[in-house]
């Protein structure tokens, strides 16, 4: 494991309770410097609460954390000097123009007059927003808002950038744009901690992934390691007739004694198998039941299947991003 | 789509084109001034809000002066002389709802999350709200006074009286503003701040001496009106504008704003820090 000083974030036993609900119920997190680290989980898993605690916006009820070596409890202002937070909803002043939003933040960081104007201009140029710089933010598209929002988090280069569901609600093109932006930032040396409910997003971006459910971390590792946890291989079967999906799932489950996962699109079934012999056994069981197989293949599990294996529930889909 | 071509720009850290030397941390005063600047910018971008600020008071002024004025005071001109200071008080009290609405909007939009994750003076955003209030009260009060002057209102105390009157109005707006900041921190939507606000304000403003002398009211109501802080403010304002104000009147008028500030400012700060 990495040494303390190599870690951008080191959190132990983080707890947050709202009323009687334990939103975060004791989470440890080690995020190495310069890495994109994803917190993956369904809605209400506690991802945002964990992020808000680490970004000094919520006081933890238990646990301790250091961000870039600064203690979250003892020195929250010190933490604020080395982080930037981009919340789930674009946190911009809609009445002001993009340029004014950036100038406002630049002045709050200590840039004066002309320097603040220059800083805003170079951020606008860098994020391809120069032409829209004098438009009010309320007239921006979703993708433009997100870019301005991220630009606003880079007025000074942070040590750690927190991104709460950076692509929720974006169309596929805008999403791809934000992804390449995040990758570029990490290449520049910024540590990024992002939350997502999209398995595809975590798989695409993150060096490490922590899977969170009901306020607890249920798994952590690289995408490859997590996939290995779900079993050595997956057998994917597409019945020729969509109407036989339920029956085929029951037969596979009985034959292998394992949970059968139905894909997001609803056309395939996947089930973990130890080896080709087991796969063969499962396919024969289908044939014996008179279920015609349209297609089958063996492969590594997807993150979605991993999530299913870990939680017993299907993960959220990347939705339109799969298009 | 070329719209999303981000290319080499996305390398802001060390050595990248976006790298920048961190300026020294600014002072609390500098932070506060930035929020004041934001309030001015908002005013420039949303001139429509001026309409919301002065429409009701203008209608009230015209309606009461010309429709009821003759019956209430003998002539519209004489009534205007009585009513105009009152409508200034009403305008400022009604318009002090806006900083609560603005605070609630910022909280709802997540803007305060960004501000609070910055290493700035934690109360600086409130400075912006206060500047916004000053602008609103100054501009709305100025417009109402100008219309009054056009219609024939004459402040006998002249310019010093007008200046004194506006200082009192700012103090009242500042005090009442805390009520709406508390509501703005407690409720979820800006609309609710408005609704709550007016439920609280309407009875206080109407059961006062703003529109009529309470002498003709039933005893119990007259007692309420005479004790109503809004009446004290209106009496003091009439005095300041006509040059007859006593220190006692102004002192009485300032009690309510002072008490509201002392009681509610700590509540606002506690709620804000807890959020």
């Amino acid at each position: 494991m990495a040494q303390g000083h190599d870690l951008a974030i080191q959190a132990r036993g983080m707890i947050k309770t709202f009323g009687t609900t334990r939103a975060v119920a004791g989470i440890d997190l080690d995020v190495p410097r310069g890495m994109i680290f994803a917190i993956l989980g369904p809605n209400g898993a506690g991802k945002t609460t964990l992020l808000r605690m680490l970004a000094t916006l919520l006081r933890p009820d238990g646990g301790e954390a250091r961000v870039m070596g600064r203690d979250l409890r003892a020195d929250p202002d010190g933490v604020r000097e080395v982080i930037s937070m981009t919340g789930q909803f674009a946190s911009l002043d809609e009445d002001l123009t993009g340029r004014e939003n950036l100038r406002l933040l630049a002045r709050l960081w200590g840039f004066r007059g002309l320097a603040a104007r220059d800083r805003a201009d170079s951020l606008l140029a860098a994020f391809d927003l120069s032409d829209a710089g004098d438009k009010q933010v309320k007239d921006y598209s979703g993708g433009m808002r997100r870019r301005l929002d991220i630009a606003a988090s880079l007025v000074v280069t942070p040590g750690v950038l927190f991104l709460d569901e950076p692509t929720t609600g974006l169309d596929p093109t805008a999403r791809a744009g934000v992804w390449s932006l995040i990758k570029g930032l990490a290449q520049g040396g910024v540590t990024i901690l992002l939350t997502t409910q999209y398995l595809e997003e975590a798989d695409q971006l993150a060096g490490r992934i922590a899977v969170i459910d009901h306020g607890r971390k249920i798994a952590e590792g690289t995408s490859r390691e997590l996939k290995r946890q779900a079993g050595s291989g997956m057998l994917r079967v597409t019945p020729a007739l969509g109407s036989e999906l339920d029956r085929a799932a029951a037969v596979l489950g009985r034959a292998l004694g394992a949970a059968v996962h139905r894909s997001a699109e609803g056309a395939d079934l996947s089930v973990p198998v130890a080896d080709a012999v087991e796969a063969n056994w499962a396919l024969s069981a289908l044939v014996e039941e008179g279920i015609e197989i349209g297609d089958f293949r063996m492969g590594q599990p997807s993150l979605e299947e991993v999530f299913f294996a870990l939680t017993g529930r299907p993960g959220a889909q990347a939705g339109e991003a799969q298009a | 789509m070329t719209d999303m071509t981000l290319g080499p720009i996305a390398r802001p850290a060390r050595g990248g084109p976006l790298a920048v030397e961190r300026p020294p941390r600014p002072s609390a005063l500098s932070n506060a001034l930035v929020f004041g600047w934001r309030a001015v910018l908002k005013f420039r971008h949303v001139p429509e809000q001026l309409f919301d600020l002065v429409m009701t008071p203008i209608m009230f002024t015209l309606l009461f002066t010309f429709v009821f004025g003759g019956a209430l005071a003998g002539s519209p001109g004489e009534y205007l002389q009585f009513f105009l200071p009152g409508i200034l008080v009403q305008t400022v009290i009604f318009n002090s709802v806006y900083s609560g609405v603005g605070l609630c909007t910022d909280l709802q939009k997540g803007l305060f999350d960004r501000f609070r994750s910055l290493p700035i003076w934690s109360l600086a955003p409130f400075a912006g709200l206060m500047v916004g209030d000053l602008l609103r009260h100054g501009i709305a009060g100025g417009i109402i006074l100008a219309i009054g002057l056009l219609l024939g209102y004459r402040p006998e105390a002249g310019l010093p009286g007008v200046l004194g009157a506006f200082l009192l109005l700012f103090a009242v707006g500042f005090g009442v503003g805390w009520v709406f900041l508390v509501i703005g921190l407690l409720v979820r939507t800006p609309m609710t701040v408005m609704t709550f606000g007016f439920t609280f304000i309407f009875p206080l403003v109407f059961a006062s001496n703003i529109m009529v002398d309470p002498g003709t009211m039933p005893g119990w109501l007259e007692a309420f009106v005479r004790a109503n802080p809004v009446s004290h403010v209106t009496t003091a304002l009439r005095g300041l504008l006509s040059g007859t104000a006593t220190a006692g009147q102004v002192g009485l008028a300032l009690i309510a704003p002072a008490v509201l500030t002392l009681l509610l400012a700590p509540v606002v700060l506690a709620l804000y820090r807890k959020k």
Side-chain angles (χ1 to χ4, degrees):
Chain A
M1 203 70 258
Q3 291 292 304
H5 59 264
D6 293 329
L7 292 173
I9 300 171
Q10 186 174 29
R12 289 291 169 270
M14 300 295 281
I15 293 175
K16 185 72 197 180
T17 311
F18 297 116
T20 56
T21 321
R22 281 228 145 161
V24 173
I27 290 182
D28 296 347
L29 215 55
D30 284 318
V31 180
R33 291 195 182 199
M35 178 179 272
I36 303 181
F37 193 105
I39 300 175
L40 173 67
N43 258 332
K47 306 184 296 288
T48 300
T49 307
L50 178 61
L51 209 66
R52 288 173 61 87
M53 283 195 282
L54 292 171
T56 75
L57 293 173
L58 271 180
R59 200 187 298 273
D61 293 330
E64 49 195 73
R66 298 182 79 78
V67 179
M68 300 301 276
R70 298 169 186 212
D71 192 279
L72 191 64
R73 274 175 195 279
D75 185 18
D77 225 34
V79 171
R80 288 180 195 120
E81 282 175 3
V82 292
I83 61 161
S84 270
M85 165 87 180
T86 303
Q88 205 161 330
F89 307 101
S91 25
L92 301 160
D93 189 326
E94 307 232 319
D95 291 334
L96 304 191
T97 65
R99 178 171 281 113
E100 286 165 347
N101 267 285
L102 294 176
R103 274 177 71 196
L104 181 87
L105 291 164
R107 290 178 63 174
L108 288 175
W109 276 106
F111 291 93
R112 286 158 183 275
L114 234 93
R117 195 184 292 263
D118 286 349
R119 188 63 191 150
D121 287 345
S122 55
L123 284 165
L124 286 171
F127 285 82
D128 203 15
L129 287 168
S130 294
D131 293 341
D134 292 324
K135 271 205 279 185
Q136 281 177 283
V137 171
K138 62 173 142 211
D139 297 327
Y140 278 30
S141 71
M144 287 161 76
R145 258 168 219 250
R146 213 56 187 148
R147 275 181 289 156
L148 183 64
D149 206 16
I150 295 176
S153 298
L154 300 174
V155 169
V156 301
T157 309
V160 180
L161 176 61
F162 294 101
L163 295 169
D164 194 6
E165 305 205 358
T167 64
T168 298
L170 294 189
D171 65 49
T173 326
R175 172 168 294 163
V178 170
W179 282 356
S180 74
L181 186 70
I182 293 172
K183 284 181 191 163
L185 287 171
Q187 278 165 17
V190 179
T191 307
I192 294 169
L193 180 63
L194 62 89
T195 67
T196 182
Q197 38 180 325
Y198 302 134
L199 300 137
E200 189 194 353
E201 186 158 284
D203 205 4
Q204 283 273 333
L205 291 175
R208 279 183 84 76
I209 300 165
V211 185
I212 287 183
D213 197 28
H214 297 302
R216 291 183 187 283
K217 186 165 76 178
I218 53 175
E220 190 193 316
T222 61
S223 164
R224 191 185 294 265
E225 284 165 358
L226 290 176
K227 287 174 180 172
R228 212 176 292 138
Q229 284 195 21
S232 50
M234 295 298 277
L235 171 67
R236 290 191 184 73
V237 180
T238 315
L241 296 172
S243 57
E244 292 201 309
L245 212 61
D246 287 337
R247 206 155 67 84
V251 172
L252 284 174
R254 239 187 350 263
L256 294 169
V260 179
H261 174 235
R262 187 181 287 215
S263 74
E265 300 82 1
D268 333 305
L269 300 168
S270 56
V271 59
V273 288
D275 50 30
V277 179
E278 247 188 49
N280 191 20
W281 163 255
L283 291 171
S284 333
L286 288 176
V287 175
E288 271 169 33
E289 290 288 330
I291 297 170
E292 199 186 330
I293 299 169
D295 184 26
F296 74 91
R297 61 210 172 277
M298 288 280 290
Q300 285 245 308
S302 71
L303 262 177
E304 191 183 332
E305 288 155 350
V306 171
F307 196 83
F308 178 72
L310 291 168
T311 64
R313 285 184 288 117
Q317 278 86 57
E320 65 270 74
Q322 289 182 332
Chain B
M1 227 184 287
T2 51
D3 184 35
M4 283 306 294
T5 319
L6 296 156
I9 55 98
R11 295 167 159 266
R14 304 130 222 200
L18 273 184
V20 70
E21 207 172 309
R22 266 179 194 234
R25 194 167 160 170
S27 65
L29 177 68
S30 156
N31 289 159
L33 289 176
V34 175
F35 281 97
W37 175 66
R38 174 180 174 229
V40 176
L41 283 179
K42 270 180 111 72
F43 229 92
R44 237 194 280 158
H45 279 297
V46 201
E48 309 89 273
Q49 63 171 289
L50 212 58
F51 195 74
D52 300 334
L53 295 181
V54 296
M55 228 24 236
T56 321
I58 290 177
M59 300 232 306
F60 266 77
T61 308
L62 297 177
L63 183 73
F64 273 76
T65 303
F66 294 110
V67 179
F68 304 128
L72 289 170
S75 76
E78 258 172 81
Y79 185 69
L80 185 65
Q81 205 64 23
F82 171 82
F83 182 58
L84 197 101
I87 197 71
L88 285 173
V89 174
Q90 183 192 308
T91 306
V92 164
I93 293 181
F94 279 178
N95 287 345
S96 40
V97 72
Y98 286 100
S99 49
V101 171
L103 176 64
C104 189
T105 310
D106 283 353
L107 287 168
Q108 193 193 24
K109 294 243 152 95
L111 204 57
F112 266 65
D113 279 356
R114 183 180 296 286
F115 295 149
R116 282 194 313 169
S117 66
L118 294 173
I120 57 171
W121 180 41
S122 61
L123 300 183
F126 287 96
L129 296 174
M130 278 162 207
V131 171
D133 270 348
L134 278 182
L135 281 172
R136 264 186 294 273
H137 298 325
I139 293 175
I143 291 176
I144 301 300
L145 182 66
I147 289 175
L149 290 172
L150 280 177
L151 295 178
Y153 171 76
R154 292 294 171 262
E156 286 113 357
L159 195 59
V162 171
L163 290 180
F166 271 75
L167 286 180
L168 177 61
L169 288 172
F170 289 146
V172 170
F174 181 81
V176 180
W178 294 106
V179 177
F180 296 106
L181 292 182
V182 171
I183 300 174
L185 284 161
L186 287 177
V187 305
R188 236 176 266 264
T189 65
M191 260 323 277
T192 323
V193 180
M194 287 263 191
T195 320
F196 257 101
F198 286 125
T199 317
F200 161 88
I201 271 181
F202 257 86
L204 275 178
V205 167
F206 286 98
S208 75
N209 63 357
I210 284 181
M211 283 140 204
V212 286
D213 189 302
T216 59
M217 299 177 186
W220 58 271
L221 185 58
E222 189 186 338
F224 176 84
V225 169
R226 291 203 190 280
N228 184 348
V230 177
S231 301
H232 292 309
V233 172
T234 309
T235 304
L237 204 76
R238 285 193 180 116
L240 284 170
L241 286 167
S242 63
T244 60
T246 63
Q249 282 174 342
V250 176
L252 266 179
L254 287 174
I255 289 178
V259 168
L260 285 173
T261 306
L262 286 176
L263 283 182
L264 297 181
V267 176
V268 165
L269 299 188
L271 284 173
Y272 175 65
R273 293 214 159 105
K274 223 183 98 199
K275 273 248 165 192

